[in-house]
């Protein structure tokens, strides 16, 4: 380290020794779009005086009148500038050589800028155009398929505002790891949902330790670095842009529901005979038949158009009261439940740049009407970027973002939730959605809302009519979503103010204050009207006991988090003969504070319909954490230095060192982050560029130690509610090891970048190797140890992979250009080498199983020594050596515990982006993304089979008879297997029993599916109006583009089409996932 | 001059950076930033005790394990989803008993024994309300610990005991043979009784309010009940069970023999934690009913406890699969008898865990077996009377004099009884009694209502009443479960040890394997 420091100091000092002749002029070198050209060489012809432009394209040089400056840069034609007696500031525009590609500038931590050429690791850049092919409200979704090695796990549009997940180079960590950080203009923003895609100029993806070392511990899992738009000089017009889009979402992918049998527990219809004491109007129904209403499964009678008494007939007060109907299938009843979601996005931006200032102000309004009734999301975003060059030495800049989001969204898609949890798991297939919708306000005189899941008429008690009308388990879903409120509001402010002092053209110092804060408030209302309307609906998630889940509740909470960051960064760059040096050193101080208050009522509400914590029957509490209040403080300090040295702009070496100290670490503990790398642009050494325009080899190494979170080292005792008047306290279930530290992440990568045939073919291949070890693992322990887990440093995961980006321009004519970009990432290995002493297996993720906690897990993922990460396990079917299932005398499968179903991680992921330009003004983009391999467990289908909702349960068997018919009548499911003595079994099993066995025997094997998919994710077709030919109008309008856009357009391939495999919500699978949606819309962009 | 200043700046920057890197210790000092102000870092042992005792009630009432006993003993029926009563695989984790109350209790013992903390635990209670003397805290915590372990071993059989509760020092504790667990429990109880001193009683004890004499009585009662549970292994006088029983029965500290000494918990009903757990579990639900099996025995014997054990309405046939259960429910218009008459399952109803009736009936059996001296009949009559008194019903004298429950001649609950013709046609129990021993055991079964594990364990031990499995049993063989199967988490986290324990079971880790005392 010391040697490195010495070298750096020497390099810095040598810059000072440059001396001058007469006077200094400053200049700026730009390309034809006004973007800076960095590292261009500026030479006084006939002398040795030279300079180099910085990343902002600026330089200063000592000249005398009459000198001629020669300005050159790779890929640009050489330009000359004559120095006259009055020349002081010069802007030179360079012309790009034919068939060459501009140098890409990428931004890293602390806004440091580099050329892509000098990077020694695979740093991928996504421009605003590539990102926003189709206007997206969500950043991660927009990245899907566009970055090699990034797996985007999207979420259904029904889940309004839910965070999506991105995995860079597979999952990080031994359990379920954390993802990359998002850095917006140098500030870490914890939630990708708070970043407005409309304000993004470009995104640079740093995959891990080798490339993201400068971020220190935060960047251990990679960094997604976002630069927001700034005003640019030479932009035509007054600088106003209006960008408006409207898109419509419709439910597209649902499980395969059966449409032959209605609700109920068995195939019979029951005869209703009126009894004295029952409502007189019911006499009209006497002698008619009904099916079982209070059972919420669909093992009921066949739907054959026969007359029957529908659920609503028993309720008075509407046009179908006391009338029979025909029992007919309702194939679209689930899809019909969902609205067409409408998303309106309007962005207005104003920008202006002059020689010494630039300002951009942008306002975006996002207004989403959810697919579930009464759900909405409204987001307003304000972004301001200002930079003022106060003098030749001083520049002040500010970047301020404010996001406010208000949302009413009951985003629960866990087991037996009130939408998919009913439709996919417990529902009557005969229900007519229109009638459910029409009767959403129907109430009995007792205030009970009408439900399809009422009791059967023989249980009617004249003394207590309400209990007959009440919902047994399920409220009408429309009533539920009309009444329930799950509101949250978040306001995030982030940005920075910076002041730069330029000592000279080679050296400047920037001081930056950054702040990122989030205020949230949220409340949930589970209303009293619903309490009145259900028997055992279990609707209140804050119920501690079964009884409590059936009473109304109110929950409310606020939180505040502030993170402040002070940076002081010294930037130095200098060209010394054939060498160019770029270096930064700096100090970072961070302070973070979080606090929250959160509580819910308990035991119901004293006065129905009053939603306040004071209205709680029992003392209020917090179900989630047992604490009403959480306070967290955290501080850290870091020092860093990085440098890259280039030789003639074709050979580069670079290095980064950063040391962090943090309050959560043991005293005197420090966290070091290091990286080194080298790259050679060998194509610069080849004269003949006809075949190869650009060729680069690179190699890099990096090591990052994660940091601990605040209080990770503390043991503290939980205080519970008093019992018998005495205070209570308990031993924590998890304790940390006193020597705990963050995980160590090490990465090596080598890569080659090639571009040829007049830049029409490009290929970028990276082979990477990553070792993650010494994780702070929460090691689950046998509960008999007295703790359920302890946190220690252990384990090692070895990963290898290949990332490939390819670009081909098959057609490039005046009137037609077709550009294809493809990404492909192959996870060669993601092996759990070790976990912890004595532990060879960790259970890492599992979903909901069933209605009570007494049920064991259904399917779960494990990390197991010597195996690939993320193996999905569960109870399978016992099989003989030939693979035949072992069955008992009744033909039921014998369970085999702990069967490995394979990995949940896909083998390959990637995407293909096609862009077409026709007659310069028509354009089309077709973006496909795909993923291959990986498994998931479906709880929906598991229960859908149990409840007789799925097509399988109503199929014909190989004898052509419905599986639900009696075996003696030719029905039943054909089971071929062996008995426990190995004798062949070939028999038919009653359909009901067959599909009930998976729950009873806990067999999950039958509901494990493949994650592979190919998806047409984004389509846009547009027209760029030739405003310049529109005469008078062109004075006012400088650009106009109209496009038709589609998202999640088509699930081209998937092994199961019951769910969208790109949207699986849990690591182990789905619980009752929201359906896949398809969106179509329009976008209009106008520039003035 | 200008260059000089530049040089100065660089030198300063360089030296500054070098200084910072070369280990300026101040950089890592963040003062008290990482000290939590909103959490407890030193435990208060009396608060731990309250917390640990608070979970005792859950052992007999949680749907996880407690209610399984009610169902396997056929005292209750499932009315909707009947997988427990049709014997779906009862593979259950320990459900937090070790990591919750047992670890709390172990911590109390450790902190009272550890020289570094034993003086502070005494003081750490609120002023004037010390947590109790070291000796008394250790003794009470030990008795409570045994109660939990007894519950665990009677459900699963072999369990981690000697290596359990060592936290991170042993995260994969071995399983101890049930025989060793039983012996150790008896030893622990004896040591606890001997360990009490004259110092302040424990605080935070809502059962006995720190009364040392009552804790001794509880410990002696547990010794007798635990010893009696070994009767299949050691049936005769002079064997281990008999000598342990006799020692406990003759201990001068006495045992729980009147209802006002019951190990029982009162509830104020003011919060979830202060609510009778059966009320919490049953109110607003209709998952369970009073089983026809138990209902018929009570009816046949004209047992007045029927009015306490269930609400009005028909009892519910045991072990019907869902379809038949729903049909049966419809046939009685949903008006079947729920467990406990309403007056016995209020939010403020006291929950009895070890009543005097258990102890008296245990003494009756011990006397009948010749383990202790005294009149078995007298103990029997006292036990039944105590049970009547516990449930607030009268008529014990007439009942004991009648032809069904009489110690010498009572014929018991008859052989019926069968389900209704529509649902199944075979008898599912035989509650005929022919010997005084069977009469005692039948009364113990009847007195165990409200603690299913006791009813199920006593049935496993005695075979009284002669319960038959439901004809709809889904397990293989179609027999009533004899134990719970070790949880999946043990297989995931303590594989070698649980597999070793499973290997010792006849037939492996299955519900019909018999544990040591059930052979």
């Amino acid at each position: 380290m010391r040697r490195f420091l010495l070298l750096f100091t020497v390099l810095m000092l040598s810059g000072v020794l440059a001396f001058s002749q007469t006077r200094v002029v400053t200049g700026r070198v730009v390309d034809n779009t006004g973007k800076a050209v960095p590292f261009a060489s500026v030479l006084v012809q006939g002398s040795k005086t030279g300079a180099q432009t910085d990343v902002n394209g600026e330089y200063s040089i000592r000249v005398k009148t009459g000198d001629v400056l020669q300005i050159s840069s790779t890929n640009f034609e050489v330009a000359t500038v004559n120095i006259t007696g009055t020349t002081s500031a010069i802007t030179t525009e360079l012309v790009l050589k034919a068939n060459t590609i501009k140098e890409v500038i990428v931004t890293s931590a602390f806004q440091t800028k580099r050329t892509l050429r000098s990077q020694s690791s695979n740093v991928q850049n996504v421009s605003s155009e590539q990102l926003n092919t189709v206007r997206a409200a969500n950043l991660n979704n927009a990245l899907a398929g566009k970055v090699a090695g990034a797996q985007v796990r999207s979420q259904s549009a029904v889940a309004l505002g839910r965070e999506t997940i991105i995995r860079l180079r597979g999952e990080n960590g031994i359990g379920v790891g954390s993802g990359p950080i998002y850095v917006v203009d140098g500030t870490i923003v914890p939630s990708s949902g708070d970043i407005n895609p409309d304000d993004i100029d470009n995104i640079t993806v740093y995959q891990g330790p080798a490339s993201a070392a400068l971020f220190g511990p935060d960047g251990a899992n990679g960094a997604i670095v976002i630069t927001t738009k700034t005003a640019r000089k030479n932009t035509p017009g007054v600088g106003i842009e209006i960008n408006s889009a409207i898109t419509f979402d419709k439910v597209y992918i649902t499980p395969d529901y059966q449409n032959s049998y209605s609700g109920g527990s068995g195939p019979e219809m029951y005869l209703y005979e009126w009894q004295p004491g029952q409502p007189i109007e019911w006499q009209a129904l006497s002698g008619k038949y009904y099916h079982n209403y209070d059972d919420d499964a669909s093992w009921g009678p066949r739907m054959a158009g026969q007359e029957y008494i529908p659920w609503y007939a028993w309720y008075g007060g509407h046009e179908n009261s006391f009338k029979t109907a025909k029992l007919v299938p309702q194939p679209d009843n689930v899809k019909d439940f969902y609205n067409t979601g409408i998303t309106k996005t309007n962005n207005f931006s104003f920008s202006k740049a002059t020689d010494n200032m630039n300002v951009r102000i942008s306002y975006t309004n996002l207004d989403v009407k959810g697919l579930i009734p009464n759900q909405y999301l409204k987001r307003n975003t304000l972004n301001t970027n200002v930079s003022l060059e106060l003098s030749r030495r001083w520049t002040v800049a500010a970047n301020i973002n404010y996001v406010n989001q208000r949302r009413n969204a009951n985003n629960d898609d866990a087991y037996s939730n009130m939408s998919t949890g009913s439709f996919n798991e417990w529902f009557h297939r005969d229900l007519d959605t229109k009638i459910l919708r029409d009767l959403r306000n129907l109430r009995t005189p007792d205030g009970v809302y009408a439900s399809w899941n009422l009791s059967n008429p023989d249980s009617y008690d004249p003394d207590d009519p309400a209990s007959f009308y009440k919902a047994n388990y399920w409220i009408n879903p429309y009533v539920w979503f009309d009444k329930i409120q799950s509101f949250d509001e978040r306001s995030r402010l982030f940005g920075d103010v910076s002041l730069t002092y330029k000592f000279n053209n080679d050296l400047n110092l920037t001081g930056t204050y950054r702040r990122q804060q989030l205020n949230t408030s949220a409340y949930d209302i589970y209303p009293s009207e619903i309490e009145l309307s259900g028997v055992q609906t279990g609707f209140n998630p804050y119920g501690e006991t079964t009884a409590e889940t059936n009473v109304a509740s109110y929950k409310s909470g606020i939180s505040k988090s502030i993170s402040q960051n002070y940076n002081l960064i010294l930037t130095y760059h200098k060209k010394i003969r054939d060498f160019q040096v770029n270096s930064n050193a700096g100090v970072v101080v961070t302070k973070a504070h979080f606090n929250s208050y959160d509580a819910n009522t308990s035991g119901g509400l004293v006065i129905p319909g009053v939603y306040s914590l004071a209205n709680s029957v029992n003392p209020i509490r917090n179900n989630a954490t047992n604490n009403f209040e959480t306070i967290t403080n955290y501080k850290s300090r870091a020092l860093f230095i990085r440098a890259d040295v280039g030789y003639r702009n074709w050979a580069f070496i670079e290095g980064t060192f950063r040391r962090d100290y943090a309050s959560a670490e043991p005293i005197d503990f420090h966290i070091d982050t290091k990286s080194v790398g080298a790259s050679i642009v060998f194509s610069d050494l080849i004269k003949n560029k006809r075949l190869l325009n650009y060729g680069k080899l690179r190699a890099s190494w990096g090591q990052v130690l994660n940091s601990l979170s605040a209080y990770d080292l503390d043991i503290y005792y939980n205080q519970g509610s008093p019992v018998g008047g005495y205070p209570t306290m308990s031993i924590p279930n998890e304790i940390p090891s006193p020597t705990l530290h963050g995980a160590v992440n090490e990465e090596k990568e080598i890569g080659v970048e090639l571009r040829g045939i007049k830049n029409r073919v490009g290929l970028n291949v990276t082979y990477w190797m990553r070792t993650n070890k010494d994780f702070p693992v929460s090691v689950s322990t046998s509960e008999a140890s007295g703790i359920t887990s302890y946190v220690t440093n252990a384990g090692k995961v070895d990963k290898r992979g290949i990332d490939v980006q390819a670009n081909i321009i098959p057609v490039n004519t005046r009137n037609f250009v077709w550009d294809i970009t493809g990404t492909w990432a192959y996870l060669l290995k993601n092996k759990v080498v070790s976990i912890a002493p004595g532990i060879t297996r960790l259970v890492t993720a599992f979903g909901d199983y069933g209605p009570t906690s007494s049920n064991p897990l259904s399917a779960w993922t494990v990390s197991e020594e010597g195996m690939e990460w993320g193996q999905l396990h569960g109870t399978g079917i016992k099989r003989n050596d030939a693979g035949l299932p072992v069955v008992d005398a009744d033909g039921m499968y014998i369970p085999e515990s702990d069967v490995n179903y394979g990995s949940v991680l896909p083998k390959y992921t990637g995407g293909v982006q096609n862009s077409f330009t026709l007659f310069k003004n028509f354009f089309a983009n077709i973006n496909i993304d795909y993923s291959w391999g990986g498994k998931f467990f479906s709880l929906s289908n598991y229960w859908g089979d149990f409840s007789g909702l799925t097509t399988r349960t109503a199929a014909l068997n190989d004898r052509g008879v419905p599986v639900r018919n009696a075996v003696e009548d030719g029905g039943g499911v054909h089971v071929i297997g062996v008995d426990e003595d190995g004798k062949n079994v070939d028999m038919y099993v009653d359909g009901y029993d067959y599909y009930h066995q998976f729950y009873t025997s806990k067999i999950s094997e039958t509901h494990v599916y493949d994650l592979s998919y190919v998806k047409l994710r984004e389509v846009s077709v547009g027209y760029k109006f030739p405003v310049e030919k529109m005469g008078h109008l062109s004075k006012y309008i400088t650009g106009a583009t109209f496009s038709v856009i589609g998202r999640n357009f088509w699930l081209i391939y998937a092994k199961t089409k019951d769910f969208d495999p790109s949207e699986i919500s849990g690591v182990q699978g789905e619980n009752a996932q929201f359906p896949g949606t398809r969106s179509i819309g329009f976008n209009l962009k106008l520039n003035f | 001059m200008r260059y000089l200043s530049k040089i100065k700046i660089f030198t300063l920057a360089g030296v500054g950076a070098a200084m910072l890197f070369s280990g300026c210790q101040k950089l890592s000092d963040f003062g008290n930033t990482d000290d939590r102000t909103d959490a407890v870092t030193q435990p208060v042992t009396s608060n731990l005790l309250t917390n640990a005792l608070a979970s005792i009630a859950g052992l007999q009432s949680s749907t996880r394990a407690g209610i399984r006993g009610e169902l396997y003993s056929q005292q209750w029926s499932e009315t909707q989803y009947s997988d427990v009563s049709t014997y779906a695989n009862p593979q259950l984790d320990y459900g937090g008993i070790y990591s919750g109350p047992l670890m709390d209790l172990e911590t109390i013992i450790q902190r009272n024994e550890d020289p570094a903390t034993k003086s502070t635990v005494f003081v750490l209670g609120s002023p004037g309300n010390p947590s109790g003397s070291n000796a008394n805290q250790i003794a009470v915590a030990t008795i409570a610990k045994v109660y939990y372990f007894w519950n665990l071993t009677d459900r699963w059989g072999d369990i981690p005991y000697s290596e359990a509760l060592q936290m991170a020092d042993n995260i994969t504790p071995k399983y101890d043979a049930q025989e060793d667990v039983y012996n150790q429990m008896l030893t622990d109880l004896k040591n606890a009784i001997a360990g009490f001193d004259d110092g302040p009683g424990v605080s935070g004890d809502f059962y006995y309010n720190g009364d040392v004499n009552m804790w001794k009585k509880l410990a002696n009662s547990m010794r007798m009940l635990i010893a009696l549970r070994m009767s299949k292994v050691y049936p005769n006088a002079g064997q281990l069970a008999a000598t342990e029983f006799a020692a406990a029965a003759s201990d001068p500290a006495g045992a729980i023999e009147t209802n006002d000494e019951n190990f029982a918990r009162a509830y104020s009903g003011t919060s979830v934690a202060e609510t009778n757990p059966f009320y919490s579990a049953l109110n607003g639900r209709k998952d369970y009913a009073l089983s026809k099996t138990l209902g018929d025995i009570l009816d046949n014997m004209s047992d007045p406890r029927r009015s306490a054990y269930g609400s009005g309405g028909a009892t519910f046939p045991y072990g019907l699969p869902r379809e038949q259960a729903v049909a049966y429910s419809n046939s009685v218009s949903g008006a079947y008898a729920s467990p406990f008459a309403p007056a016995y399952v209020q939010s403020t109803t006291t929950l009895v865990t070890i009543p005097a009736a258990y102890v008296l009936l245990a003494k009756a059996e011990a006397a009948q077996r010749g383990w202790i001296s005294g009149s078995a009949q007298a103990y029997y009559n006292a036990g039944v009377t105590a049970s009547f008194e516990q449930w607030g019903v009268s008529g014990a004298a007439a009942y004991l004099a009648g032809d069904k429950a009489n110690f010498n001649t009572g014929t018991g609950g008859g052989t019926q009884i069968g389900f209704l013709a529509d649902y199944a046609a075979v008898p599912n129990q035989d509650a005929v009694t022919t010997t005084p021993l069977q009469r005692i055991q039948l009364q113990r079964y009847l007195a165990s209502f409200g603690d299913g594990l006791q009813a199920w364990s006593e049935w496993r031990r005695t075979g009284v009443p002669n319960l038959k499995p439901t004809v709809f049993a889904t397990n293989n063989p179609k027999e009533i479960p004899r134990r719970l199967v070790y949880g999946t988490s043990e297989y995931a986290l303590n594989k070698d040890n649980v597999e070793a324990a499973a290997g010792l079971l006849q037939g492996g880790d299955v519900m019909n394997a018999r544990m040591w005392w059930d052979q």
Side-chain angles (χ1 to χ4, degrees), chain A residues 2 5 13 16 265-266 268 292 295-296 393 426 456 458-459 472-473 503-504 507 535-536 544-548 550 570 602 618-619 621 630-631 633-637 639-640 657 659 661-664 667-668 710-711 714-717 719 722-731 733 735 779-788 790 839 843 853-854 856 890 980 999, chain B residues 2-3 6-7 9-10 13 18 20-22 25-30 33-36 38-44 47-48 50-51 54 64 68 80-81 83 88 91-92 94-99 103-104 107 160 164-168 170-171 173 204-206 209 265 270-274 280-281 283-287 322-323 326 330 333 476 478 488 490 492-494:
Chain A
R2 293 210 173 168
L5 208 79
L13 291 173
V16 184
S265 53
E268 336 43 50
N292 190 343
D295 190 299
D296 50 354
R393 299 214 179 274
W426 300 104
N456 292 323
D458 48 13
S459 73
N472 188 18
Y473 306 102
F503 294 100
N504 58 32
L507 182 73
V535 180
Q536 43 185 350
E544 240 180 18
T545 62
T546 315
E548 266 205 9
N550 290 313
L570 201 60
S602 165
N618 293 331
R621 61 166 191 264
T630 310
I631 301 172
N633 288 306
Y634 181 86
K635 286 180 187 168
S636 73
R637 297 172 193 133
L639 304 157
F640 71 86
F657 180 81
R659 177 166 284 184
Y661 301 89
S663 60
I667 210 149
D668 293 341
Y711 314 141
D714 291 359
I715 299 181
Y716 59 96
Y717 299 87
Q719 286 179 285
V723 174
Y726 300 109
T728 61
M729 188 176 289
S730 58
I731 307 296
N733 284 336
I735 57 168
V779 177
S780 287
T781 61
S782 165
E783 197 221 289
S785 65
I787 47 175
T788 54
Y790 80 109
I839 294 169
V843 174
S853 59
S854 62
D890 298 327
E980 288 185 272
Y999 168 69
Chain B
R2 250 182 80 214
Y3 291 127
K6 264 192 198 174
I7 289 165
I9 288 162
F10 292 123
L20 291 171
F21 277 99
S22 63
Q25 300 300 332
K26 287 278 180 339
L27 275 174
S28 63
D29 185 0
F30 293 90
T33 306
D34 204 49
D35 294 345
R36 290 195 81 147
D38 59 342
V40 184
T41 51
Q42 291 294 317
V44 178
N47 296 1
L48 292 175
T50 307
N51 194 59
R64 176 172 197 83
R68 262 167 213 272
Q80 302 182 54
Y81 291 98
D83 35 307
Q91 183 169 24
L92 292 177
Y94 299 127
I97 293 176
Y98 281 99
S99 59
M103 195 62 231
D104 293 339
T107 308
L165 308 176
Q166 297 177 9
M167 294 182 114
N170 186 355
I171 59 169
D205 161 27
F206 49 82
N209 199 24
R265 176 171 169 195
T270 53
S271 72
V272 175
E274 302 285 346
S280 298
N283 183 42
R285 296 286 301 186
K286 42 184 200 180
D287 309 73
R322 174 155 175 79
E323 209 171 344
V326 169
N330 287 340
S333 304
N476 184 20
K478 297 178 185 302
T488 48
E490 278 297 284
L493 303 169
N494 197 9

Side-chain angles (χ1 to χ4, degrees), chain B residues 2-345:
Chain B
R2 250 182 80 214
Y3 291 127
L4 201 67
S5 69
K6 264 192 198 174
I7 289 165
K8 255 189 198 160
I9 288 162
F10 292 123
T11 314
L12 276 174
V15 169
M19 257 175 59
L20 291 171
F21 277 99
S22 63
C24 183
Q25 300 300 332
K26 287 278 180 339
L27 275 174
S28 63
D29 185 0
F30 293 90
N32 58 2
T33 306
D34 204 49
D35 294 345
R36 290 195 81 147
T37 52
D38 59 342
V40 184
T41 51
Q42 291 294 317
V44 178
T45 49
S46 64
N47 296 1
L48 292 175
L49 180 69
T50 307
N51 194 59
L53 296 179
S55 304
I56 286 178
L59 293 175
Q60 68 200 83
S61 59
S62 77
T63 49
R64 176 172 197 83
I67 285 176
R68 262 167 213 272
E70 265 88 6
L71 294 169
Y72 292 154
S73 65
Q74 302 191 14
Q75 295 199 341
W76 293 15
S77 286
E78 283 173 307
T79 62
Q80 302 182 54
Y81 291 98
S82 41
D83 35 307
V84 174
S85 34
T86 53
Y87 314 144
N89 192 24
Q91 183 169 24
L92 292 177
D93 296 327
Y94 299 127
I97 293 176
Y98 281 99
S99 59
L102 279 174
M103 195 62 231
D104 293 339
L105 294 166
E106 180 69 20
T107 308
I108 296 170
I109 296 169
Q110 283 170 8
R111 291 185 81 86
N112 278 286
E113 284 174 346
D114 185 345
T117 52
K118 67 186 288 186
S119 59
T120 53
V121 288
F122 187 80
V123 186
L124 252 174
S126 46
N129 184 23
S131 293
S133 72
N134 292 133
N136 290 342
Q137 288 194 55
I138 293 169
V140 166
T142 304
I143 295 166
K145 236 176 90 178
V146 170
Y147 185 77
Y148 280 107
F149 276 117
W150 183 30
N151 267 265
L152 287 167
T153 186
D154 280 1
R155 285 184 210 158
W156 283 276
D158 295 356
I159 49 163
Y161 189 94
S162 60
E163 290 187 0
L165 308 176
Q166 297 177 9
M167 294 182 114
D169 294 337
N170 186 355
I171 59 169
T172 52
K174 71 161 194 191
Y175 279 61
D176 291 280
Q178 188 175 48
E179 182 176 2
D180 298 335
V181 175
Y182 260 68
N183 284 327
Q184 192 59 46
M185 290 194 299
L186 290 167
T187 307
D188 285 352
L189 288 171
K190 279 181 274 188
N191 290 342
I193 293 167
F196 282 106
D197 68 9
D198 296 334
V202 295
S203 83
D205 161 27
F206 49 82
Y207 277 103
Y208 290 132
N209 199 24
D211 183 337
V212 167
N213 292 326
M214 283 317 302
W215 279 97
K216 287 181 181 170
K217 286 190 179 197
L218 171 64
N220 280 326
S221 305
M222 284 166 61
R223 287 169 69 193
M224 284 186 257
L225 298 173
I226 288 170
L228 183 59
R229 187 118 324 140
M230 305 192 291
S231 69
K232 270 193 193 177
V233 187
Y234 305 114
N236 302 322
Q239 289 181 306
L240 179 72
T243 53
E244 288 291 339
F245 193 103
S250 61
D251 189 279
I256 299 168
E257 298 201 7
T258 62
N259 279 314
D260 59 356
E261 295 174 337
N262 287 350
F263 187 53
R265 176 171 169 195
Y267 292 97
S268 67
T270 53
S271 72
V272 175
E274 302 285 346
T275 296
N276 178 296
F278 281 118
Y279 172 82
S280 298
L282 299 174
N283 183 42
R285 296 286 301 186
K286 42 184 200 180
D287 309 73
Y288 302 107
L290 181 63
S291 155
K292 184 162 161 41
T293 307
L294 176 62
D296 283 355
I297 298 171
L298 294 168
D299 287 346
N300 259 311
M301 298 178 77
S302 307
D303 192 320
R305 284 172 292 187
R306 168 66 183 83
S307 66
Y309 289 180
S311 64
T315 53
F316 207 101
Y318 178 80
L320 298 184
R322 174 155 175 79
E323 209 171 344
Q324 280 91 334
V326 169
Y328 179 80
S329 174
N330 287 340
S331 76
V332 296
S333 304
Y336 44 76
S338 55
F340 301 108
Y344 295 85
V345 61

Side-chain angles (χ1 to χ4, degrees), chain A residues 444-510:
Chain A
T444 69
D446 295 320
V448 173
Y449 278 98
S451 162
W452 58 269
N453 190 208
L454 75 169
S455 296
N456 292 323
D458 48 13
S459 73
Y460 183 87
D461 175 1
D463 296 332
D464 179 20
S467 49
F468 163 75
Y469 291 111
K470 283 180 179 183
N472 188 18
Y473 306 102
W474 299 96
I475 305 273
N476 176 347
Y478 283 100
V479 174
W480 173 259
F481 288 107
D482 283 352
K483 302 298 166 201
I484 193 90
Q485 288 184 58
S486 197
F487 176 84
D488 69 321
E489 177 167 2
R490 50 193 288 132
S491 299
R492 193 186 290 276
L493 177 77
F494 64 93
D496 63 86
V497 179
S498 69
L499 185 65
T500 301
Y501 180 77
K502 213 183 230 186
F503 294 100
N504 58 32
N505 202 40
D506 305 329
L507 182 73
N508 62 53
L509 183 70
T510 303

Side-chain angles (χ1 to χ4, degrees), chain B residues 443-485:
Chain B
Q443 283 304 324
R444 177 68 206 284
Y445 170 83
L446 295 176
S448 299
F449 190 82
D451 190 348
L453 177 64
Q454 290 301 319
W456 177 40
S457 299
E458 285 297 300
W459 169 78
R460 284 181 286 165
R461 181 176 73 84
T462 64
V464 177
N466 184 12
L467 300 174
K468 301 282 185 348
T470 168
V471 295
F472 299 105
T474 56
N475 62 340
N476 184 20
K478 297 178 185 302
E479 294 294 341
I480 300 173
R482 309 296 297 202
R483 61 182 284 275
L484 303 183
V485 175

